[in-house]
Amino acid sequence: MMRIFLNRKSISLSNPTVHKYMNELGLRSIVVPKKPKYKKGDCYKKFDNLLNQNFKVDEPNKIWCTDFTYMWREDGAKRYNCTIIDLYDRSPVATLNSNRINAELAIETLTYALNHNTVKKGLILHSDQGSQFTSRAFTEFCSLQNITQSMSKAGCPYDNAPMESFYGTFKADFANHHSFETDEALNEATYEYIFVYYNHVRPHSSNGYLTPFEKRFSYR
């Protein structure tokens, strides 16, 4: 990744050379944290896995993936994030923070994504089997929006690997290196990281090291 950023500045170096200079400067890679475990809740309805670890998509807004993670404020208060990414270019199409991890947060995040993107019929939303996504409220909301739900096999993070990868980057690049006194500051920084830096600045390996915006623009 560091070599890709340097290439974008017209500085061409090999991986070993970049690694050598990073060592000299005391720069180290960041370890991606493991995904937290959440308490299981009541399950209203589960859905089959329609992806089966095939995450290649030929057009935008055809298949979305979603999940939750957590963050901490300076005062120790726990906050939760729900994000939805588009598998076509791995761009986050919606992200919201809350002090609760529940179906309401999932519905609000999905509502934002639907209101800010042009979606055709047949949209698939892939998630794990968390109680937020299997709840009556969320499954009925998806049905009303003509969204087909798809779910990972229980206990298999590889079935939702793009979200695992996104949150690994989100934690390593952002959440683990900043602290915020208020929810307002946390929210503002989260939106800036995701909608500005992640979508428009950071190259993504799945896009051939194009940013999500660059890949989406090339589709048009």
Side-chain angles (χ1 to χ4, degrees), residues 91-210:
S91 62
V93 294
T95 189
L96 287 176
N97 297 329
S98 175
N99 62 347
R100 294 187 178 182
I101 180 170
N102 52 23
E104 286 71 23
L105 176 57
I107 291 171
E108 289 174 5
T109 308
L110 182 53
T111 300
Y112 180 98
L114 292 171
N115 289 341
H116 290 80
N117 294 273
T118 302
V119 178
K120 299 178 182 179
K121 288 185 178 181
L123 172 67
I124 294 174
L125 180 66
H126 185 74
S127 69
D128 60 21
Q129 295 183 19
S131 60
Q132 302 83 9
F133 305 121
T134 62
S135 66
R136 176 190 286 269
F138 188 78
T139 56
E140 290 185 348
F141 179 80
C142 287
S143 179
L144 287 172
Q145 300 298 324
N146 295 313
I147 294 173
T148 301
Q149 285 187 256
S150 169
M151 290 186 171
S152 303
K153 177 179 165 183
C156 186
Y158 298 106
D159 282 350
N160 203 8
M163 282 307 308
E164 298 285 337
S165 176
F166 167 78
Y167 273 134
T169 300
F170 177 78
K171 287 290 191 73
D173 281 357
F174 171 72
N176 290 348
H177 298 281
H178 302 277
S179 58
F180 304 95
E181 294 183 355
T182 65
D183 287 340
E184 290 75 15
L186 173 62
N187 294 341
E188 183 178 352
T190 300
Y191 305 149
E192 182 176 355
Y193 169 80
I194 287 179
F195 292 129
V196 179
Y197 177 76
Y198 194 92
N199 277 348
H200 294 270
V201 178
R202 187 183 187 278
H204 201 296
S205 59
S206 295
N207 296 334
Y209 289 101
L210 297 175

Side-chain angles (χ1 to χ4, degrees), residues 15-156:
N15 283 338
T17 301
V18 172
H19 186 256
K20 172 187 174 183
Y21 289 142
M22 288 179 65
N23 284 338
E24 292 178 356
L25 293 170
L27 300 176
R28 298 288 184 270
S29 60
I30 300 171
V31 177
V32 177
K34 293 182 179 180
K35 181 181 176 181
K37 294 182 179 180
Y38 299 119
K39 294 181 179 179
K40 293 183 178 180
D42 294 332
C43 174
Y44 174 68
K45 190 175 182 181
K46 294 180 182 178
F47 297 85
D48 292 335
N49 186 344
L50 303 179
L51 305 189
N52 292 315
Q53 299 186 20
N54 179 11
F55 304 121
K56 293 183 179 180
V57 181
D58 57 3
E59 61 180 288
N61 299 321
K62 186 175 182 179
I63 303 177
W64 291 348
C65 290
T66 187
D67 204 352
F68 293 95
T69 194
Y70 70 94
M71 298 177 286
W72 299 96
R73 280 193 340 203
E74 281 188 1
D75 59 3
K78 201 172 189 178
R79 293 295 180 261
Y80 298 94
N81 173 270
C82 182
T83 293
I84 299 172
I85 66 171
D86 187 344
L87 277 187
Y88 171 72
D89 53 12
R90 308 300 170 93
S91 62
V93 294
T95 189
L96 287 176
N97 297 329
S98 175
N99 62 347
R100 294 187 178 182
I101 180 170
N102 52 23
E104 286 71 23
L105 176 57
I107 291 171
E108 289 174 5
T109 308
L110 182 53
T111 300
Y112 180 98
L114 292 171
N115 289 341
H116 290 80
N117 294 273
T118 302
V119 178
K120 299 178 182 179
K121 288 185 178 181
L123 172 67
I124 294 174
L125 180 66
H126 185 74
S127 69
D128 60 21
Q129 295 183 19
S131 60
Q132 302 83 9
F133 305 121
T134 62
S135 66
R136 176 190 286 269
F138 188 78
T139 56
E140 290 185 348
F141 179 80
C142 287
S143 179
L144 287 172
Q145 300 298 324
N146 295 313
I147 294 173
T148 301
Q149 285 187 256
S150 169
M151 290 186 171
S152 303
K153 177 179 165 183
C156 186

